Amino acid sequence: MHNAVLPDERARRNPSAACIADDELQLTNSAFAGRVRAAAGALQRRGVEPGDVVAVVLPNRVELVVALFAAWRLGAAVTPVNPALTAAEARYQIEDSGAVVVLGDGSGPDVATMDVADLPAVAAGAGPAPVPADPAALALLIHTSGTTGRPKGVMLDHANLTAMCAMAIASVGLGPSDHSLLVLPLFHVNGIVVSVLSPLLAGGRATIAGRFRPAAFFPAVEAVRPTYFSAVPAIYAMLATLPEEVRPDTSSLRLAICGAAPMPAELIGRFERRYRIPIVEGYGLSEGTCASTINPVGGIRKPGTVGLPIPGQEVAIVDARGRRVTDGSPGEVVVRGPNVMCGYLNRPEETARTVVDGWLHTGDVGRFDEDGYLVLVDRIKDMIIRGGENIYPKEIESVLHSHPAVLEVAVVGRAHTVLGEVPVAFVTLNPGATATAAQLHEHCAGSLSTYKRPADIVMVPTLPRNPVGKIDKIRLRDRLAESGSTAG
């Protein structure tokens, strides 16, 4: 089913069934379809035509999803903009995308050309008819977080979304009884695909949570009774450290999904034991429309891995020359399938370097274990070379994570006048836990070769994060560079 006609089709099949909700609105299928038609009419009156781009600068709320489907109804694409960006950052994305309308609500940067309040709740007449289905039409422009320069617009067409949603529905076993609780931002493809499009296409429904707050999460679960949610490791870490007296009713949840960054096996075990919710860890990129591997819901889940290749995609490991690695050694993870992006907007050279003969080069180092599960070793760009020896920060991070006092870890390289680089670990502790840097150094000595051990362990209250919740190692490297230290 083409995304543009999904609201109408749901309304035709079961008009009174629940569709989508947030803290302010609860819409049935019929009401949601009506709002999409009305919004499409309002956008059309603002000049939106097939092939155009609509920028949406909104926090998580129902109207963002309405705008998404309204644009698709007109044959336009959407670029969702993080409302926490500065005005200059938002303008860069808007100008880069060529958006003809910028929808906002006044809560974010002052860049909107149309207020969300101007989207009528009821259409005047039937509203614009959906444009003829075109799988190759651009659907989403997702801008990367910009850790390697200016953010790039990842072009995803409707064929990408259709393929990815079908894979997600099959992999997680979604059906009409499923109800997602959205806690991830809707300016990221994971939130759109996993928590909105897939459950709606499967006949289920979605509830949009506001800004994530650990203390408010489980009361929301008990109130709306979702069957699953998707989150990043940082969210699971915060939930795992809630006060011991927090013992919520989680019986409605059949699973939780983890993506965006590898999750330490120790944290998975701690969360599952406490809340009795199985975590299904997966892996993917915006350039791959969200996910490429996943631990099987109905099979063996292996913490410390990101699962098996999703049926419908090929995942392989290649060496520096692009030759496939089949002996279990690490190499770059590459992905091929109908979910691979159309390219980077207006960046043909970067597209050609990233997608080679249909294979998406992820920039991640990984290996397959003896059962075919993908183990992520690290990012290629994060590898530290100390005196000619390659060090993958994730190995050090995993060792530090195994200490009972440690909550989160990030290891980055610091310049060294003789060795080139040395690893430095930034560590946060569990609430109420105590551990010194010296104790953590001793802990590392029992598991790591001398050259892999951190030159320094820095205790910090929190770790910096980028807009999608990943630890921002760029800022940590900048901190080390600003300190000017090259000892180690």
Side-chain angles (χ1 to χ4, degrees), residues 113-172:
T113 61
M114 181 178 182
D115 195 288
V116 71
D118 294 335
L119 295 181
V122 179
V131 298
D134 180 4
L138 187 65
L140 286 174
L141 267 174
I142 302 293
H143 277 69
T144 61
S145 56
T147 56
T148 55
R150 285 284 205 172
K152 301 185 289 288
V154 175
M155 297 189 295
L156 303 176
D157 62 19
H158 283 281
N160 291 144
L161 292 184
T162 298
M164 187 71 257
C165 288
M167 294 174 191
I169 290 168
S171 297
V172 185

Tab-separated table of all heavy atoms in Angstrom, residues 113-172:
chain	number	residue	atom	x	y	z
A	113	THR	N	7.227	29.373	8.204
A	113	THR	CA	6.438	30.232	7.319
A	113	THR	C	4.954	29.906	7.421
A	113	THR	O	4.124	30.585	6.825
A	113	THR	CB	6.888	30.053	5.860
A	113	THR	OG1	6.694	28.684	5.456
A	113	THR	CG2	8.364	30.420	5.696
A	114	MET	N	4.625	28.859	8.204
A	114	MET	CA	3.236	28.452	8.401
A	114	MET	C	3.109	27.892	9.808
A	114	MET	O	3.918	27.062	10.224
A	114	MET	CB	2.826	27.407	7.358
A	114	MET	CG	1.399	26.940	7.463
A	114	MET	SD	1.019	25.743	6.130
A	114	MET	CE	-0.728	25.424	6.461
A	115	ASP	N	2.109	28.363	10.533
A	115	ASP	CA	1.898	27.885	11.901
A	115	ASP	C	1.042	26.626	11.884
A	115	ASP	O	0.084	26.530	11.118
A	115	ASP	CB	1.209	28.959	12.745
A	115	ASP	CG	1.300	28.659	14.228
A	115	ASP	OD1	0.608	27.713	14.684
A	115	ASP	OD2	2.066	29.342	14.928
A	116	VAL	N	1.417	25.667	12.729
A	116	VAL	CA	0.656	24.423	12.781
A	116	VAL	C	-0.800	24.676	13.142
A	116	VAL	O	-1.693	23.888	12.778
A	116	VAL	CB	1.322	23.440	13.773
A	116	VAL	CG1	1.131	23.908	15.215
A	116	VAL	CG2	0.791	22.026	13.611
A	117	ALA	N	-1.073	25.782	13.848
A	117	ALA	CA	-2.454	26.122	14.195
A	117	ALA	C	-3.290	26.430	12.959
A	117	ALA	O	-4.530	26.408	13.021
A	117	ALA	CB	-2.471	27.315	15.146
A	118	ASP	N	-2.622	26.706	11.829
A	118	ASP	CA	-3.341	26.989	10.588
A	118	ASP	C	-3.744	25.716	9.839
A	118	ASP	O	-4.352	25.807	8.766
A	118	ASP	CB	-2.488	27.869	9.670
A	118	ASP	CG	-2.248	29.254	10.257
A	118	ASP	OD1	-3.083	29.691	11.071
A	118	ASP	OD2	-1.228	29.875	9.917
A	119	LEU	N	-3.387	24.561	10.395
A	119	LEU	CA	-3.851	23.307	9.797
A	119	LEU	C	-5.257	23.027	10.303
A	119	LEU	O	-5.454	22.767	11.501
A	119	LEU	CB	-2.927	22.145	10.170
A	119	LEU	CG	-1.500	22.187	9.644
A	119	LEU	CD1	-0.747	20.943	10.089
A	119	LEU	CD2	-1.479	22.304	8.123
A	120	PRO	N	-6.259	23.075	9.451
A	120	PRO	CA	-7.633	22.858	9.922
A	120	PRO	C	-7.861	21.421	10.342
A	120	PRO	O	-7.216	20.494	9.856
A	120	PRO	CB	-8.483	23.219	8.704
A	120	PRO	CG	-7.581	23.021	7.532
A	120	PRO	CD	-6.203	23.347	8.003
A	121	ALA	N	-8.783	21.244	11.281
A	121	ALA	CA	-9.104	19.899	11.750
A	121	ALA	C	-10.084	19.202	10.818
A	121	ALA	O	-10.167	17.969	10.800
A	121	ALA	CB	-9.687	19.968	13.162
A	122	VAL	N	-10.830	19.990	10.042
A	122	VAL	CA	-11.844	19.416	9.153
A	122	VAL	C	-11.626	19.983	7.758
A	122	VAL	O	-11.428	21.193	7.588
A	122	VAL	CB	-13.271	19.749	9.635
A	122	VAL	CG1	-14.304	19.160	8.682
A	122	VAL	CG2	-13.491	19.249	11.052
A	123	ALA	N	-11.669	19.116	6.767
A	123	ALA	CA	-11.461	19.549	5.390
A	123	ALA	C	-12.715	20.202	4.842
A	123	ALA	O	-13.838	19.843	5.208
A	123	ALA	CB	-11.075	18.361	4.516
A	124	ALA	N	-12.516	21.219	3.985
A	124	ALA	CA	-13.628	21.809	3.249
A	124	ALA	C	-13.907	20.910	2.054
A	124	ALA	O	-13.190	20.934	1.065
A	124	ALA	CB	-13.266	23.222	2.803
A	125	GLY	N	-14.914	20.074	2.157
A	125	GLY	CA	-15.187	19.096	1.122
A	125	GLY	C	-14.306	17.866	1.292
A	125	GLY	O	-13.850	17.561	2.392
A	126	ALA	N	-14.005	17.202	0.203
A	126	ALA	CA	-13.234	15.960	0.264
A	126	ALA	C	-11.741	16.208	0.394
A	126	ALA	O	-10.988	15.299	0.748
A	126	ALA	CB	-13.502	15.118	-0.976
A	127	GLY	N	-11.292	17.438	0.126
A	127	GLY	CA	-9.860	17.712	0.152
A	127	GLY	C	-9.192	17.181	-1.100
A	127	GLY	O	-9.802	16.479	-1.912
A	128	PRO	N	-7.910	17.480	-1.286
A	128	PRO	CA	-7.205	17.018	-2.484
A	128	PRO	C	-7.158	15.487	-2.547
A	128	PRO	O	-6.935	14.820	-1.531
A	128	PRO	CB	-5.798	17.593	-2.322
A	128	PRO	CG	-5.909	18.645	-1.264
A	128	PRO	CD	-7.035	18.248	-0.385
A	129	ALA	N	-7.356	14.952	-3.717
A	129	ALA	CA	-7.230	13.506	-3.895
A	129	ALA	C	-5.758	13.117	-3.848
A	129	ALA	O	-4.887	13.905	-4.231
A	129	ALA	CB	-7.842	13.090	-5.229
A	130	PRO	N	-5.457	11.913	-3.380
A	130	PRO	CA	-4.043	11.485	-3.369
A	130	PRO	C	-3.476	11.462	-4.783
A	130	PRO	O	-4.161	11.069	-5.733
A	130	PRO	CB	-4.109	10.066	-2.780
A	130	PRO	CG	-5.413	9.991	-2.065
A	130	PRO	CD	-6.346	10.890	-2.824
A	131	VAL	N	-2.234	11.900	-4.939
A	131	VAL	CA	-1.591	11.851	-6.251
A	131	VAL	C	-1.401	10.391	-6.647
A	131	VAL	O	-1.381	9.494	-5.792
A	131	VAL	CB	-0.224	12.563	-6.236
A	131	VAL	CG1	-0.369	14.038	-5.892
A	131	VAL	CG2	0.717	11.881	-5.263
A	132	PRO	N	-1.286	10.106	-7.944
A	132	PRO	CA	-1.021	8.720	-8.365
A	132	PRO	C	0.246	8.184	-7.702
A	132	PRO	O	1.240	8.892	-7.558
A	132	PRO	CB	-0.840	8.843	-9.887
A	132	PRO	CG	-1.606	10.067	-10.251
A	132	PRO	CD	-1.453	11.005	-9.097
A	133	ALA	N	0.187	6.936	-7.275
A	133	ALA	CA	1.308	6.326	-6.551
A	133	ALA	C	2.559	6.284	-7.429
A	133	ALA	O	2.508	5.857	-8.579
A	133	ALA	CB	0.926	4.920	-6.115
A	134	ASP	N	3.674	6.733	-6.880
A	134	ASP	CA	4.958	6.665	-7.561
A	134	ASP	C	6.000	6.199	-6.548
A	134	ASP	O	6.469	6.988	-5.734
A	134	ASP	CB	5.344	8.028	-8.128
A	134	ASP	CG	6.685	7.998	-8.859
A	134	ASP	OD1	7.264	6.895	-8.984
A	134	ASP	OD2	7.143	9.067	-9.299
A	135	PRO	N	6.360	4.923	-6.592
A	135	PRO	CA	7.325	4.416	-5.608
A	135	PRO	C	8.657	5.141	-5.626
A	135	PRO	O	9.355	5.187	-4.610
A	135	PRO	CB	7.498	2.950	-6.011
A	135	PRO	CG	6.266	2.606	-6.776
A	135	PRO	CD	5.888	3.869	-7.503
A	136	ALA	N	9.025	5.728	-6.779
A	136	ALA	CA	10.312	6.389	-6.890
A	136	ALA	C	10.272	7.845	-6.434
A	136	ALA	O	11.304	8.525	-6.441
A	136	ALA	CB	10.823	6.321	-8.328
A	137	ALA	N	9.080	8.342	-6.046
A	137	ALA	CA	8.976	9.725	-5.598
A	137	ALA	C	9.652	9.892	-4.242
A	137	ALA	O	9.537	9.027	-3.364
A	137	ALA	CB	7.516	10.154	-5.519
A	138	LEU	N	10.338	11.004	-4.067
A	138	LEU	CA	10.996	11.280	-2.789
A	138	LEU	C	9.954	11.386	-1.685
A	138	LEU	O	8.938	12.067	-1.833
A	138	LEU	CB	11.792	12.585	-2.896
A	138	LEU	CG	12.685	12.947	-1.712
A	138	LEU	CD1	13.802	11.928	-1.549
A	138	LEU	CD2	13.268	14.350	-1.913
A	139	ALA	N	10.230	10.714	-0.549
A	139	ALA	CA	9.307	10.725	0.586
A	139	ALA	C	9.879	11.489	1.773
A	139	ALA	O	9.197	12.305	2.391
A	139	ALA	CB	8.967	9.291	1.003
A	140	LEU	N	11.137	11.204	2.106
A	140	LEU	CA	11.766	11.813	3.271
A	140	LEU	C	13.156	12.319	2.923
A	140	LEU	O	13.885	11.684	2.161
A	140	LEU	CB	11.894	10.802	4.410
A	140	LEU	CG	10.641	10.394	5.191
A	140	LEU	CD1	10.995	9.284	6.172
A	140	LEU	CD2	10.049	11.587	5.926
A	141	LEU	N	13.504	13.456	3.513
A	141	LEU	CA	14.878	13.949	3.505
A	141	LEU	C	15.316	14.001	4.957
A	141	LEU	O	14.910	14.897	5.708
A	141	LEU	CB	14.945	15.344	2.893
A	141	LEU	CG	15.231	15.456	1.406
A	141	LEU	CD1	15.120	16.918	0.965
A	141	LEU	CD2	16.604	14.908	1.059
A	142	ILE	N	16.091	13.015	5.367
A	142	ILE	CA	16.567	12.940	6.744
A	142	ILE	C	17.988	13.470	6.779
A	142	ILE	O	18.883	12.911	6.141
A	142	ILE	CB	16.534	11.488	7.259
A	142	ILE	CG1	15.113	10.918	7.169
A	142	ILE	CG2	17.078	11.413	8.674
A	142	ILE	CD1	14.119	11.560	8.104
A	143	HIS	N	18.205	14.528	7.509
A	143	HIS	CA	19.554	15.089	7.586
A	143	HIS	C	20.346	14.411	8.695
A	143	HIS	O	19.872	14.271	9.827
A	143	HIS	CB	19.494	16.606	7.792
A	143	HIS	CG	19.304	17.343	6.499
A	143	HIS	ND1	18.127	17.288	5.781
A	143	HIS	CD2	20.150	18.127	5.774
A	143	HIS	CE1	18.255	18.012	4.678
A	143	HIS	NE2	19.472	18.531	4.652
A	144	THR	N	21.548	13.984	8.325
A	144	THR	CA	22.414	13.315	9.293
A	144	THR	C	22.830	14.299	10.367
A	144	THR	O	22.693	15.517	10.209
A	144	THR	CB	23.670	12.755	8.602
A	144	THR	OG1	24.402	13.851	8.029
A	144	THR	CG2	23.302	11.764	7.511
A	145	SER	N	23.386	13.766	11.453
A	145	SER	CA	23.691	14.606	12.607
A	145	SER	C	24.902	15.489	12.406
A	145	SER	O	25.210	16.323	13.252
A	145	SER	CB	23.895	13.732	13.850
A	145	SER	OG	24.899	12.768	13.608
A	146	GLY	N	25.633	15.312	11.323
A	146	GLY	CA	26.701	16.234	10.994
A	146	GLY	C	27.970	16.043	11.788
A	146	GLY	O	28.684	16.998	12.066
A	147	THR	N	28.288	14.785	12.154
A	147	THR	CA	29.513	14.550	12.915
A	147	THR	C	30.757	14.645	12.033
A	147	THR	O	31.863	14.691	12.527
A	147	THR	CB	29.484	13.162	13.576
A	147	THR	OG1	29.274	12.162	12.575
A	147	THR	CG2	28.367	13.081	14.599
A	148	THR	N	30.576	14.662	10.723
A	148	THR	CA	31.719	14.802	9.812
A	148	THR	C	31.457	15.979	8.869
A	148	THR	O	31.457	15.832	7.657
A	148	THR	CB	31.926	13.510	9.000
A	148	THR	OG1	30.699	13.182	8.323
A	148	THR	CG2	32.321	12.359	9.884
A	149	GLY	N	31.228	17.152	9.432
A	149	GLY	CA	30.980	18.332	8.624
A	149	GLY	C	29.499	18.666	8.591
A	149	GLY	O	28.727	18.262	9.446
A	150	ARG	N	29.091	19.422	7.585
A	150	ARG	CA	27.706	19.858	7.453
A	150	ARG	C	26.778	18.652	7.308
A	150	ARG	O	27.105	17.692	6.607
A	150	ARG	CB	27.568	20.750	6.223
A	150	ARG	CG	28.129	22.145	6.409
A	150	ARG	CD	27.205	22.998	7.247
A	150	ARG	NE	27.391	24.413	6.979
A	150	ARG	CZ	26.612	25.369	7.465
A	150	ARG	NH1	25.611	25.046	8.255
A	150	ARG	NH2	26.826	26.632	7.194
A	151	PRO	N	25.592	18.704	7.928
A	151	PRO	CA	24.648	17.588	7.766
A	151	PRO	C	24.304	17.359	6.300
A	151	PRO	O	24.177	18.300	5.522
A	151	PRO	CB	23.423	18.054	8.561
A	151	PRO	CG	23.974	19.006	9.570
A	151	PRO	CD	25.101	19.712	8.875
A	152	LYS	N	24.146	16.089	5.959
A	152	LYS	CA	23.805	15.703	4.589
A	152	LYS	C	22.352	15.219	4.561
A	152	LYS	O	21.887	14.562	5.478
A	152	LYS	CB	24.719	14.572	4.098
A	152	LYS	CG	26.192	14.932	4.102
A	152	LYS	CD	27.038	13.826	3.485
A	152	LYS	CE	27.105	12.584	4.384
A	152	LYS	NZ	27.923	12.798	5.575
A	153	GLY	N	21.661	15.544	3.478
A	153	GLY	CA	20.277	15.106	3.311
A	153	GLY	C	20.214	13.712	2.711
A	153	GLY	O	20.567	13.504	1.547
A	154	VAL	N	19.759	12.748	3.500
A	154	VAL	CA	19.595	11.370	3.033
A	154	VAL	C	18.248	11.266	2.321
A	154	VAL	O	17.194	11.510	2.923
A	154	VAL	CB	19.649	10.381	4.217
A	154	VAL	CG1	19.347	8.959	3.748
A	154	VAL	CG2	21.008	10.448	4.906
A	155	MET	N	18.294	10.927	1.044
A	155	MET	CA	17.070	10.855	0.236
A	155	MET	C	16.468	9.446	0.301
A	155	MET	O	17.084	8.474	-0.127
A	155	MET	CB	17.367	11.221	-1.215
A	155	MET	CG	17.860	12.646	-1.413
A	155	MET	SD	17.965	13.134	-3.161
A	155	MET	CE	19.252	12.035	-3.748
A	156	LEU	N	15.266	9.362	0.836
A	156	LEU	CA	14.534	8.100	0.916
A	156	LEU	C	13.248	8.239	0.115
A	156	LEU	O	12.466	9.173	0.342
A	156	LEU	CB	14.207	7.750	2.367
A	156	LEU	CG	15.403	7.650	3.331
A	156	LEU	CD1	14.927	7.395	4.754
A	156	LEU	CD2	16.368	6.558	2.890
A	157	ASP	N	13.034	7.335	-0.831
A	157	ASP	CA	11.803	7.402	-1.608
A	157	ASP	C	10.746	6.476	-1.002
A	157	ASP	O	10.983	5.787	-0.010
A	157	ASP	CB	12.066	7.094	-3.088
A	157	ASP	CG	12.609	5.694	-3.339
A	157	ASP	OD1	12.470	4.809	-2.468
A	157	ASP	OD2	13.181	5.467	-4.435
A	158	HIS	N	9.562	6.485	-1.599
A	158	HIS	CA	8.474	5.668	-1.053
A	158	HIS	C	8.781	4.179	-1.161
A	158	HIS	O	8.344	3.393	-0.315
A	158	HIS	CB	7.160	6.012	-1.754
A	158	HIS	CG	6.561	7.296	-1.283
A	158	HIS	ND1	5.853	7.402	-0.115
A	158	HIS	CD2	6.603	8.545	-1.822
A	158	HIS	CE1	5.456	8.653	0.053
A	158	HIS	NE2	5.897	9.365	-0.966
A	159	ALA	N	9.547	3.779	-2.176
A	159	ALA	CA	9.930	2.368	-2.281
A	159	ALA	C	10.817	1.963	-1.105
A	159	ALA	O	10.688	0.863	-0.565
A	159	ALA	CB	10.650	2.110	-3.611
A	160	ASN	N	11.739	2.858	-0.708
A	160	ASN	CA	12.564	2.585	0.473
A	160	ASN	C	11.697	2.371	1.709
A	160	ASN	O	11.884	1.402	2.464
A	160	ASN	CB	13.510	3.755	0.750
A	160	ASN	CG	14.609	3.931	-0.267
A	160	ASN	OD1	14.994	5.056	-0.583
A	160	ASN	ND2	15.153	2.847	-0.779
A	161	LEU	N	10.749	3.284	1.934
A	161	LEU	CA	9.898	3.188	3.126
A	161	LEU	C	9.022	1.942	3.089
A	161	LEU	O	8.857	1.249	4.105
A	161	LEU	CB	9.022	4.434	3.249
A	161	LEU	CG	9.728	5.751	3.565
A	161	LEU	CD1	8.703	6.867	3.744
A	161	LEU	CD2	10.576	5.632	4.819
A	162	THR	N	8.456	1.658	1.918
A	162	THR	CA	7.588	0.475	1.797
A	162	THR	C	8.359	-0.799	2.097
A	162	THR	O	7.891	-1.678	2.835
A	162	THR	CB	6.984	0.416	0.381
A	162	THR	OG1	6.174	1.577	0.173
A	162	THR	CG2	6.134	-0.833	0.200
A	163	ALA	N	9.566	-0.901	1.540
A	163	ALA	CA	10.387	-2.094	1.769
A	163	ALA	C	10.779	-2.211	3.238
A	163	ALA	O	10.678	-3.281	3.839
A	163	ALA	CB	11.626	-2.055	0.884
A	164	MET	N	11.227	-1.098	3.826
A	164	MET	CA	11.694	-1.139	5.208
A	164	MET	C	10.560	-1.467	6.165
A	164	MET	O	10.734	-2.251	7.107
A	164	MET	CB	12.327	0.203	5.585
A	164	MET	CG	13.004	0.212	6.947
A	164	MET	SD	14.542	-0.758	6.994
A	164	MET	CE	14.006	-2.252	7.829
A	165	CYS	N	9.401	-0.880	5.948
A	165	CYS	CA	8.263	-1.164	6.830
A	165	CYS	C	7.833	-2.617	6.723
A	165	CYS	O	7.512	-3.254	7.735
A	165	CYS	CB	7.099	-0.233	6.512
A	165	CYS	SG	7.364	1.477	7.043
A	166	ALA	N	7.829	-3.156	5.517
A	166	ALA	CA	7.462	-4.566	5.348
A	166	ALA	C	8.450	-5.458	6.094
A	166	ALA	O	8.056	-6.446	6.738
A	166	ALA	CB	7.429	-4.930	3.866
A	167	MET	N	9.735	-5.124	6.020
A	167	MET	CA	10.748	-5.900	6.740
A	167	MET	C	10.573	-5.766	8.251
A	167	MET	O	10.712	-6.752	8.993
A	167	MET	CB	12.143	-5.424	6.334
A	167	MET	CG	12.521	-5.680	4.883
A	167	MET	SD	14.127	-4.893	4.500
A	167	MET	CE	14.164	-5.048	2.717
A	168	ALA	N	10.294	-4.554	8.715
A	168	ALA	CA	10.113	-4.343	10.152
A	168	ALA	C	8.902	-5.089	10.674
A	168	ALA	O	8.942	-5.720	11.742
A	168	ALA	CB	9.980	-2.846	10.438
A	169	ILE	N	7.811	-5.037	9.933
A	169	ILE	CA	6.587	-5.726	10.344
A	169	ILE	C	6.830	-7.226	10.446
A	169	ILE	O	6.428	-7.874	11.419
A	169	ILE	CB	5.446	-5.413	9.354
A	169	ILE	CG1	5.011	-3.948	9.506
A	169	ILE	CG2	4.254	-6.342	9.573
A	169	ILE	CD1	4.107	-3.460	8.389
A	170	ALA	N	7.525	-7.786	9.446
A	170	ALA	CA	7.798	-9.225	9.460
A	170	ALA	C	8.792	-9.589	10.560
A	170	ALA	O	8.620	-10.601	11.253
A	170	ALA	CB	8.340	-9.658	8.096
A	171	SER	N	9.816	-8.768	10.751
A	171	SER	CA	10.863	-9.101	11.721
A	171	SER	C	10.364	-9.051	13.156
A	171	SER	O	10.757	-9.867	13.993
A	171	SER	CB	12.049	-8.143	11.559
A	171	SER	OG	12.637	-8.290	10.291
A	172	VAL	N	9.508	-8.091	13.456
A	172	VAL	CA	9.023	-7.918	14.825
A	172	VAL	C	7.671	-8.611	15.021
A	172	VAL	O	7.202	-8.754	16.151
A	172	VAL	CB	8.942	-6.410	15.176
A	172	VAL	CG1	8.549	-6.191	16.621
A	172	VAL	CG2	10.295	-5.749	14.922
